[in-house]
Structures are given as C-alpha cells and as structure tokens.
Amino acid sequence: MSQQSPVPTLVATVDGITGNTGGFSFSMPTGAVCTGKWSSVAPQSASVTTGSLFSQFGSVAGYSTTVGNVPGVNKGQAFATCSDNTRFDVEFFTGSGTANGYGIAKDTNGNVYKMLF
C-alpha cells in the first residue's frame, strides 16, 4: 500500500472514546470492512517493551518512544478482523483525559500503519 500514490488514508469510526474501551470500524481501499475492539489502561504510567509494535516500527513511523514511567499517558491496544480475513494488531497512546493520541498498527499482510487521532 505504501507504493500507491497517493498513499491511502484509512478513516475509522470509533465509539466509547469517553471511556476506556469501545468498538471501531473502517473500510480498506479494497472494500473489505473491518471491525474490532479497543481498550486502554486508566491513567497511570506507560512503557514500551521489546517485541511491541512501537519498539519494532516506531522509528519507521517517525515516533520516538520512552521506556519507563510516563505519568498521564494511557497505553491502549486494539484488534480488528476484516471481511477478507485480514487481521490488525494495534498499539496506541492517549493523553489523560483526552481522546487524542497516536499509534501503530500492523496487519497480517505485513503492512504497517501510522495512526493519528
């Protein structure tokens, strides 16, 4: 997908943003419909460990990561399955008390996505 011009932008609809969990859906450029669930940890601290999407692909997506305690940052995860059997694994961070953040997603086809919300 990164070789396409312009690079496709996927837009998701998300519910439950005022809480710590919810559902989301989006459509792929191929027309496949994807749905999933997300959840985030209540505001405490967050860290990135070896093997996470941020440690593997953060520098590729342009994100620097800090390992250790980061007060006021919520770490979350999401999983989605598409009608064409593509699956997504997602990691994201949001600021405490906000619905704004960033993340990285990877699908079973090897595509890596930069997320902003």
Side-chain angles (χ1 to χ4, degrees):
M1 288 177 55
S2 67
Q3 302 306 311
Q4 296 177 14
S5 182
V7 174
T9 299
L10 307 180
V11 178
T13 301
V14 181
D15 63 32
I17 61 171
T18 58
N20 291 332
T21 190
F24 67 100
S25 62
F26 59 95
S27 294
M28 298 291 288
T30 61
V33 176
C34 309
T35 59
K37 291 285 189 180
W38 66 271
S39 182
S40 67
V41 179
Q44 293 176 7
S45 62
S47 64
V48 176
T49 59
T50 303
S52 74
L53 292 174
F54 274 99
S55 67
Q56 292 177 14
F57 302 108
S59 62
V60 174
Y63 298 131
S64 63
T65 55
T66 301
V67 176
N69 293 332
V70 183
V73 176
N74 302 350
K75 183 174 189 254
Q77 289 190 305
F79 303 97
T81 303
C82 306
S83 58
D84 65 358
N85 292 320
T86 300
R87 293 180 313 280
F88 280 80
D89 185 10
V90 181
E91 292 180 2
F92 62 90
F93 292 101
T94 58
S96 293
T98 72
N100 301 315
Y102 60 93
I104 296 175
K106 183 178 180 188
D107 69 21
T108 51
N109 298 317
N111 297 302
V112 177
Y113 303 81
K114 182 176 185 175
M115 298 172 32
L116 299 172
F117 51 94

